[in-house]
Amino acid sequence: MAKRYKAFISYAHHDERWSSWLQRSLEHYRVPAKLRRQQAAGKPVPGRLHPIFRDREELASSSDLSESICSAMDRSSALIVVCSPEAAASKWVNEEIRYFQSLGRANQIFCLLVSGSPERDAPDCAFPKALLETDDGQPLPDPLAADISEQADGKRDAMLKIAAGLLGVGIDDLKQR
């Protein structure tokens, strides 16, 4: 199936502000011209990361939301999870991650940490269970996340880390050091 979306953003509605910011930031980001002239993993590097799926922006009215969501995920090259304690507690975020993993694309899941702790045992852990363990309870490696906090990546660098992952390039390529 041809991919229509560069990525699907999964988020708890408590984090809608962050999902909206991320979608806008990624879709308006212009890949540096020098990088566009190169290739990443044998493929041309696109000039834009557009479109990014976010349910509030993309879904038409439907009698079966889950069918619409699954269809959008099927047509997405990557999954971006906006991670927070609310996302970790969300049944729907967890189910979206599990579904994307079932497509065989677990290596195309990117995390944006917007609140809470990255520590799996912390009471305010930001990572949904599907990112931490398999269906049968076996632990998965700790997820790597772009972190919007100023003491970590900050908003701009966190967005660039997600963009680099989606493009299959290094973050240094986007920063043009």
Side-chain angles (χ1 to χ4, degrees), residues 64-86:
D64 185 356
L65 180 64
S66 63
E67 183 179 321
S68 298
I69 292 290
C70 289
S71 175
M73 293 178 84
D74 290 342
R75 296 180 297 141
S76 297
S77 297
L79 175 68
I80 302 168
V81 182
V82 177
C83 297
S84 68
E86 291 78 14

Side-chain angles (χ1 to χ4, degrees), residues 19-38:
S19 69
S20 177
W21 166 80
L22 182 61
Q23 180 187 29
R24 258 189 335 276
S25 297
L26 289 171
E27 288 187 340
H28 290 103
Y29 177 71
R30 290 187 176 276
V31 177
K34 181 180 176 184
L35 188 58
R36 288 193 316 260
R37 291 189 291 270
Q38 299 174 5

Side-chain angles (χ1 to χ4, degrees), residues 1 3 6 41 45 53-54 59 70 74-75 83 87 97 109 115 143-145 151 158-160 167 171:
M1 174 180 287
K3 302 293 181 250
K6 297 290 184 195
V45 177
F53 181 94
R54 189 170 67 89
L59 280 182
C70 289
D74 290 342
R75 296 180 297 141
C83 297
I97 295 166
I109 297 175
S115 66
L144 295 176
Q151 57 273 24
M159 184 277 296
L160 287 176
L167 293 166
I171 191 168

Side-chain angles (χ1 to χ4, degrees), residues 164-177:
L166 294 175
L167 293 166
V169 302
I171 191 168
D172 286 346
D173 293 326
L174 297 183
K175 287 187 169 189
Q176 299 182 4
R177 292 183 189 180

Side-chain angles (χ1 to χ4, degrees), residues 146 153-162 171 175 177:
D153 299 316
K155 284 173 59 175
R156 171 95 175 136
D157 282 356
M159 184 277 296
L160 287 176
K161 280 185 171 183
I162 299 288
I171 191 168
K175 287 187 169 189
R177 292 183 189 180

Side-chain angles (χ1 to χ4, degrees), residues 42-108:
K43 298 179 199 169
V45 177
R48 299 300 270 290
L49 290 167
H50 187 273
I52 304 287
F53 181 94
R54 189 170 67 89
D55 62 351
R56 295 271 189 215
E57 298 296 320
E58 298 289 333
L59 280 182
S61 178
S62 171
S63 61
D64 185 356
L65 180 64
S66 63
E67 183 179 321
S68 298
I69 292 290
C70 289
S71 175
M73 293 178 84
D74 290 342
R75 296 180 297 141
S76 297
S77 297
L79 175 68
I80 302 168
V81 182
V82 177
C83 297
S84 68
E86 291 78 14
S90 170
K91 171 188 172 187
W92 299 113
V93 171
N94 203 61
E95 290 302 315
E96 288 168 354
I97 295 166
R98 290 272 187 234
Y99 182 79
F100 200 80
Q101 290 168 330
S102 77
L103 298 174
R105 291 187 253 148
N107 65 336
Q108 288 300 307

